[in-house]
Structure formats: C-alpha cells, structure tokens
Amino acid sequence: MLVGEGLAENFATAIYGGEFLGPWVGKTNPELLPLIKEIIYDGLNATGFENITAYLYGDEMARMQCFPEAGLPYCAGYAVGYYLIKYFLQKTGISIEEATILPHEEILKEVEEFWENSYAGNPKGAILIK
C-alpha cells in the first residue's frame, strides 16, 4: 500500500500541481521523517489490514480500531510513500505514468538507499533530512 499510495499522490501532484499535495503528506513534520522511515522500513513485510494500519494511517487510526500501534503520527505512511516515489522518479527519470504500471517490488528494489536516513526525496541530495 505504501508504494501504491505514493504513486497516487505523485500522480495527483503531477496533474494538479504541488499546491494540491494532500495534507496527510504536507502536515507530516519533516524533522520526524528519518524516525518515521526507520519504523516503516521495519514494518514493510507486515501483512493483514490490522497489522498495516498503523504503518499507513498512524497510531491514532490503529488505536481507534483496536489494532497494534507502531509509534507513528497520523498518516505517516502516506508521507513516506510520497517521498519514496518522488525519489524513485527523480533517480530513474521514469515518468509517473510509466511508474504506475511497475510492480512494487521493482520500485522498492530500485530505491533501497532511500531508507538511509540522509535521503528524503531527491537522489542528488537537494532534499536531505538529518
């Protein structure tokens, strides 16, 4: 879901412009992204809606449904998905249209270094998060 939601958000901003970036991305504190990425990376292999809810929607939503929490703020997975796909697009030069038909495994393999805390959204280092 992380890749799919990241593709969707990047597709929407490609069509409508960055000013229409969803609040679930824009309201995520950039200073928390390294920690958020670390937690989400540890949960990439989670399966079942009850186990992935916290990773995509955050602990608040997981708690409301009596699902396990992961230590994440509201919709943190959407923000990480957005930046992961943005990184993928910038690194590969592939268009968002082309990216939408790629298997998520191919995308994740291509951006393994994204999970290092120094990377956020730009493979050339313009968007660095310490």
Side-chain angles (χ1 to χ4, degrees):
M1 284 180 70
L2 182 78
V3 171
E5 294 299 343
L7 287 165
E9 196 65 31
N10 276 276
F11 200 91
T13 57
I15 293 172
Y16 300 110
E19 64 272 15
F20 291 101
L21 180 66
W24 39 88
V25 175
K27 290 185 178 182
T28 300
N29 183 341
E31 292 179 16
L32 294 177
L33 277 176
L35 176 60
I36 291 170
K37 285 171 41 179
E38 183 179 327
I39 293 169
I40 289 177
Y41 181 78
D42 289 342
L44 279 179
N45 294 317
T47 59
F49 189 71
E50 70 280 3
N51 295 318
I52 67 167
T53 297
Y55 292 105
L56 189 60
Y57 305 108
D59 286 357
E60 178 182 353
M61 297 299 287
R63 191 176 315 113
M64 288 171 57
Q65 298 177 26
C66 298
F67 292 159
E69 298 179 25
L72 292 167
Y74 179 74
C75 288
Y78 282 92
V80 170
Y82 171 77
Y83 289 116
L84 177 123
I85 296 301
K86 185 174 181 159
Y87 178 82
F88 172 81
L89 297 173
Q90 291 174 346
K91 178 183 178 188
T92 64
I94 292 174
S95 71
I96 186 62
E97 295 84 1
E98 293 173 281
T100 60
I101 61 170
L102 294 175
H104 76 276
E105 297 92 351
E106 185 176 328
I107 292 172
L108 288 172
K109 184 175 181 186
E110 184 66 40
V111 295
E112 289 177 351
E113 69 279 0
F114 170 83
W115 299 104
E116 297 173 18
N117 283 337
S118 60
Y119 292 98
N122 187 325
K124 296 181 176 52
I127 302 173
L128 291 176
I129 296 180
K130 298 178 183 180

